[in-house]
Amino acid sequence: MKEHPENCMEISHDIRQLNAEKIGGDEADLNKLRNIFMSILKDIKADYGNGPQDIEQTEFQEMLAKIKAQSDDIQAKRPVTETDIANITASVLSGVDALDEAETLMFYELSKHLLERMSGGCD
C-alpha cells in the first residue's frame, strides 16, 4: 500500500472483502485473477463493440451472381483469364465493410497468383 498509494482504496476494499468472506489465499488469488480477466474482457468488448457480422446467405448468393454475370459478359467478348476473375472477385469484395482498400488489393494479388498456379501459369 505504501508503494502504490493510488491503489490504497482498492487494496483496502479487497482486504476487507477477503476478511469478510473468510476465503483462503489460493481462492482469493483465483478470484482476483477472474476479476482482472473479466475487466480485460469488458475493455475489449467496449473497444471493439460487436464486430463485423457474417453475411447472410442471400447476400452471398447475390455476390456469386454478380461474379457469374461479370464473367459471362467477359466470356461473350473473349476468353476469361485469371486476372479477370481476380479483378471481378476483388471488386465484389471491395463492397464488403470488413475489407479496406489495402486488404482488397492484397486479396486481388493473392487470388490472381493462386489462379495462375492452378492453371499452370506460375510455379
Side-chain angles (χ1 to χ4, degrees):
M1 286 182 14
K2 292 178 182 177
E3 295 172 5
H4 300 285
E6 66 275 2
N7 295 335
C8 184
M9 183 71 93
E10 182 181 343
I11 292 170
S12 297
H13 176 71
D14 288 344
I15 290 172
R16 276 188 242 124
Q17 182 180 357
L18 293 176
N19 287 336
E21 293 177 356
K22 304 280 186 202
I23 58 176
D26 291 339
E27 192 175 344
D29 290 341
L30 289 175
N31 281 338
K32 187 72 172 177
L33 288 174
R34 181 182 53 102
N35 290 339
I36 291 170
F37 181 71
M38 293 305 287
S39 69
I40 290 171
L41 286 178
K42 286 179 187 176
D43 290 343
I44 291 171
K45 186 175 180 181
D47 287 344
Y48 292 103
N50 294 333
Q53 301 293 322
D54 289 339
I55 61 172
E56 297 289 327
Q57 183 176 1
T58 55
E59 188 178 355
F60 180 70
Q61 293 295 332
E62 290 170 3
M63 289 173 134
L64 289 178
K66 284 181 190 176
I67 292 171
K68 181 167 177 21
Q70 289 179 17
S71 64
D72 288 345
D73 289 345
I74 294 172
Q75 183 70 37
K77 300 173 191 168
R78 60 180 168 75
V80 179
T81 65
E82 294 86 359
T83 303
D84 294 331
I85 295 297
N87 272 330
I88 293 167
T89 309
S91 69
V92 169
L93 287 178
S94 67
V96 176
D97 293 337
L99 298 178
D100 64 15
E101 188 175 328
E103 292 167 334
T104 303
L105 181 61
M106 287 189 287
F107 177 81
Y108 164 76
E109 293 294 333
L110 176 64
S111 59
K112 179 180 170 191
H113 176 76
L114 291 174
L115 289 166
E116 287 173 349
R117 280 193 70 190
M118 288 189 305
S119 69
C122 181
D123 289 323

